[in-house]
Amino acid sequence: LFFRNNVGDPALAFAHWAWVARQLKSLAQLLEQAGTAAKAVVKASQDAQRPLPVSTAAVVALVDDKWYHPGYYYQAAASYTVRRRNSARMLCKTAQGIDPGEPPAIVYLGQVPVPTGLPLSPRESDTPPPHPAAGAADLSEAPKRMGNYLADEHLRLQALEATVPHSALILDILSKACESFMMLNKRSRMNIYLAAQMAKEHFEAGQMEAAKRLLDSVVHMLRQEGWDDAVAEITRLVLVCARELKQLLHYVEASLHL
């Protein structure tokens, strides 16, 4: 709980959300691998008609627990990637048109590496200055030089983040979550929710045809279950997609439903 709201440098908050998303995605992948390995051992034990090892039985019990289902963690990773994109949109506006160059070698997450030649304090100076007055002037300029360097590095990292295809990352993670939940139940509400998220992400990326295809399937299932508020929200998106795709019949149909 202590570290939950600590995002590091506010100018690079997107790096924090990217890190959180990577941790959740890695956890989901590990759970998937554990489940696959456990099922293989179970099948081998059944084929050989021998009892399951105690350690493997514990892993199987863990994998079968719904709270350790990888789909939940893929979905959480996608949500944090959305936060990463939203943060990048707010922070990277001033970095448009800047050449990001090569990504810097960051030792600690969210901390900009400081060049060795930049004087920061008297302790960090390897050699004494030739004259005390010159050294004092050099060190007095250190905060200003450091501020200018960090501002330039922030802009460069923001320009680098602006080139990241966030929608493609989100759609990839959501598709993995969908595949994971499809193995449990093809018509579960979680699948409907994930399909709606994927449709909204296609819509966000301007991929209207893919968005409308998913929205049509989602709205049909929502109508069957009587989720009127959700149906209205999805139908508004269908209306925009039909307008952009110049599908007059679908546009009129969506308008009548609203």
Side-chain angles (χ1 to χ4, degrees):
L1 293 177
F2 178 78
F3 295 101
R4 179 171 294 176
N5 296 319
N6 292 352
V7 297
D9 192 332
L12 303 175
F14 50 81
H16 171 75
W17 302 125
W19 178 83
V20 175
R22 281 198 300 272
Q23 304 312 302
L24 289 164
K25 184 179 177 181
S26 297
L27 176 57
Q29 291 171 337
L30 287 172
L31 289 171
E32 269 188 338
Q33 292 171 9
T36 303
K39 289 175 183 176
V41 173
V42 170
K43 187 177 184 305
S45 297
Q46 290 174 346
D47 293 342
Q49 296 182 349
R50 62 189 178 195
L52 197 64
V54 177
S55 58
T56 306
V59 173
V60 171
L62 185 67
V63 171
D64 287 340
D65 190 333
K66 65 178 180 178
W67 297 113
Y68 291 93
H69 193 279
Y72 290 113
Y73 299 97
Y74 276 129
Q75 194 275 328
S79 297
Y80 278 105
T81 307
V82 171
R83 295 185 72 167
R84 172 188 180 180
R85 179 183 62 195
N86 295 341
S87 176
R89 282 180 175 173
M90 289 190 298
L91 296 171
C92 300
K93 292 178 181 178
T94 57
Q96 299 295 331
I98 295 176
D99 181 15
E102 292 295 323
I106 297 177
V107 180
Y108 300 104
L109 180 72
Q111 293 186 8
V112 177
V114 180
T116 55
L118 192 66
L120 301 179
S121 68
R123 291 182 181 179
E124 297 186 15
S125 180
D126 295 331
T127 58
H131 190 274
D138 189 36
L139 291 173
S140 68
E141 292 292 319
K144 182 179 178 181
R145 291 175 62 188
M146 184 63 179
N148 292 338
Y149 170 77
L150 288 177
D152 291 342
E153 282 301 293
H154 286 166
L155 280 175
R156 197 160 71 87
L157 290 170
Q158 289 168 0
L160 192 64
E161 181 67 17
T163 64
V164 174
H166 296 105
S167 289
L169 291 176
I170 295 166
L171 286 167
D172 178 63
I173 299 171
L174 286 175
S175 65
K176 291 181 184 299
C178 262
E179 290 172 7
S180 187
F181 279 109
M182 286 282 281
M183 296 174 65
L184 288 179
N185 186 352
K186 292 186 178 181
R187 290 182 59 84
S188 70
R189 288 176 181 172
M190 193 64 184
N191 284 330
I192 298 174
Y193 174 69
L194 289 171
Q197 281 193 311
M198 290 181 70
K200 290 177 181 178
E201 201 53 47
H202 281 298
F203 184 88
E204 182 78 21
Q207 301 166 358
M208 297 299 174
E209 191 170 345
K212 187 177 180 302
R213 185 169 58 251
L214 280 170
L215 289 169
D216 286 340
S217 63
V218 168
V219 78
H220 176 69
M221 289 183 281
L222 289 174
R223 282 200 189 101
Q224 287 182 331
E225 295 198 3
W227 296 92
D228 295 335
D229 291 341
V231 167
E233 180 186 355
I234 297 297
T235 305
R236 290 188 189 96
L237 293 177
V238 172
L239 191 71
V240 176
C241 290
R243 184 187 64 200
E244 293 297 321
L245 294 170
K246 297 180 173 56
Q247 297 177 349
L248 180 60
L249 181 61
H250 292 170
Y251 181 85
V252 172
E253 183 181 353
S255 300
L256 292 174
H257 277 297
L258 286 173

